Amino acid sequence: MTAIHSSVAQTSVTQSNDSVVPGPKVLLLGAPGTGKTYAIRTLFDAGIKKVAAVFTEPSMESVSDIPPELLSWHYIPPATASWETMISQSKKINTLSFDALTKLSDMDKRQYTQFIDFITCLSNFTCDRTGENLGPVDSWGTDRALVIDSMSGLNLMAMKLVTGGKPVKSQADWQVAQENIEQVIIKLTTDVKCTVIVTAHLERETDEITGGTTLMASTLGRKLAPKIPRFFSDCVHVIRVADRFTWSTATANADLKTRNLKIADNLPPSFKPLIDAWKARGGVIA
């Protein structure tokens, strides 16, 4: 009986040091300059031990003062073409009809591998600052946070993967690129246990149900944008008025949701209240 009790007690201790509840999945929506990237530093106030960020635009300078033992990052530059490729593309645009441009099947697609680089990074994250290898992001515990900054760069990568430098996109091109983005979002929000933050710029989209306009994540096409919030635990509007930075989960014309923050305007621009609420619901930094 003593051995059984000892085994049960040991199992209980092991379970108490792990988190049954996965880390929050947060979508930060805001215009440029509203503090989306800067807010990364508040994750440490909430008890997160290590943050790893994938930057798809050169915004790391706003957090470069954070020591590398706390913040790792990997930068994947936006999809660009060489001057020679741009000259070749321009000549095609200048000489071919619109119909012929639409039917082009490959305009240097092999130069646009950034989306593949992005997936490769997530499958085996290596820090640009130190060379440290952190392994696949879906193996991390809740003591870490993954930041994708931002969706705008990811949109470009997903489209260029499909079309290369083709100047005219078909409906099929848009569908394939949208599917790639959706698969990434689903993977990050369902298979990854650590806290995940994705930043996105805002765009006004027509709500097909109400007929009005709604602020949504800027992504590829009108069909994808309304799908994105459903996968996240919290979708937060990041706001700057003059020199005052706030968060909101109550902006009337924005596609927002919250499981861990209260529904309110003028919230502090910090992840701490969000992660504290997650802890109160059973989350453990483990």
Side-chain angles (χ1 to χ4, degrees):
M1 292 295 292
T2 302
I4 294 175
H5 289 161
S6 175
S7 176
V8 170
Q10 182 62 42
T11 300
S12 177
V13 169
T14 301
Q15 291 176 344
S16 68
N17 289 331
D18 198 7
S19 179
V20 178
V21 184
K25 307 298 184 282
V26 186
L27 179 64
L28 285 188
L29 300 163
T34 52
K36 298 186 296 296
T37 306
Y38 191 86
I40 288 175
R41 62 187 70 242
T42 68
L43 287 164
F44 304 108
D45 299 331
I48 297 296
K49 306 300 182 185
K50 178 83 169 180
V51 176
V54 182
F55 290 106
T56 64
E57 51 192 67
S59 53
M60 65 284 287
E61 59 186 324
S62 62
V63 289
S64 60
D65 60 314
I66 299 175
E69 60 268 23
L70 296 178
L71 174 63
S72 297
W73 72 57
H74 188 82
Y75 175 46
I76 304 174
T80 60
S82 66
W83 294 117
E84 291 76 13
T85 298
M86 293 175 69
I87 292 169
S88 174
Q89 292 171 358
S90 298
K91 288 180 178 179
K92 289 184 174 70
I93 294 170
N94 183 248
T95 57
L96 297 177
S97 67
F98 181 83
D99 186 58
L101 288 172
T102 303
K103 294 177 180 178
L104 287 172
S105 59
D106 185 356
M107 286 188 69
D108 303 294
K109 287 174 65 174
R110 292 171 186 82
Q111 291 192 28
Y112 299 95
T113 62
Q114 289 83 358
F115 190 84
I116 299 172
D117 297 340
F118 178 82
I119 300 300
T120 301
C121 172
L122 297 181
S123 71
N124 192 22
F125 190 104
T126 299
C127 176
D128 288 349
R129 305 179 80 184
T130 65
E132 180 185 11
N133 182 269
L134 303 179
V137 300
D138 53 353
S139 70
W140 299 351
T142 52
D143 59 335
R144 292 185 183 179
L146 171 68
V147 178
I148 308 298
D149 188 29
S150 72
M151 188 177 290
S152 295
L154 189 58
N155 293 335
L156 290 172
M157 294 176 191
M159 181 58 79
K160 291 294 187 182
L161 178 74
V162 179
T163 64
K166 188 170 70 171
V168 181
K169 279 73 172 174
S170 68
Q171 184 176 355
D173 293 333
W174 283 92
Q175 290 174 344
V176 174
Q178 288 172 8
E179 177 68 17
N180 286 338
I181 294 288
E182 188 172 3
Q183 284 187 1
V184 168
I185 296 298
I186 292 173
K187 179 73 173 177
L188 291 175
T189 54
T190 57
D191 287 357
V192 178
K193 189 174 184 181
C194 71
T195 294
V196 176
I197 294 102
V198 177
T199 70
H201 296 104
L202 282 169
E203 197 167 299
R204 290 189 180 274
E205 299 283 359
T206 300
D207 191 317
E208 295 183 355
I209 297 176
T210 66
T213 59
T214 302
L215 292 172
M216 299 183 184
S218 180
T219 188
L220 298 176
R222 295 180 179 179
K223 297 292 185 182
L224 179 59
K227 294 181 181 179
I228 290 176
R230 73 181 66 168
F231 301 113
F232 289 88
S233 59
D234 299 82
C235 300
V236 182
H237 186 197
V238 182
I239 303 166
R240 177 175 68 87
V241 178
D243 61 350
R244 185 166 178 263
F245 296 82
T246 61
W247 287 4
S248 174
T249 56
T251 305
N253 63 333
D255 196 3
L256 307 175
K257 65 183 289 189
T258 179
R259 292 179 187 161
N260 296 297
L261 289 173
K262 61 183 180 179
I263 301 175
D265 292 317
N266 298 314
L267 295 170
S270 171
F271 288 105
K272 188 176 188 307
L274 190 153
I275 292 182
D276 284 348
W278 168 77
K279 291 177 182 176
R281 294 183 171 192
V284 177
I285 302 289

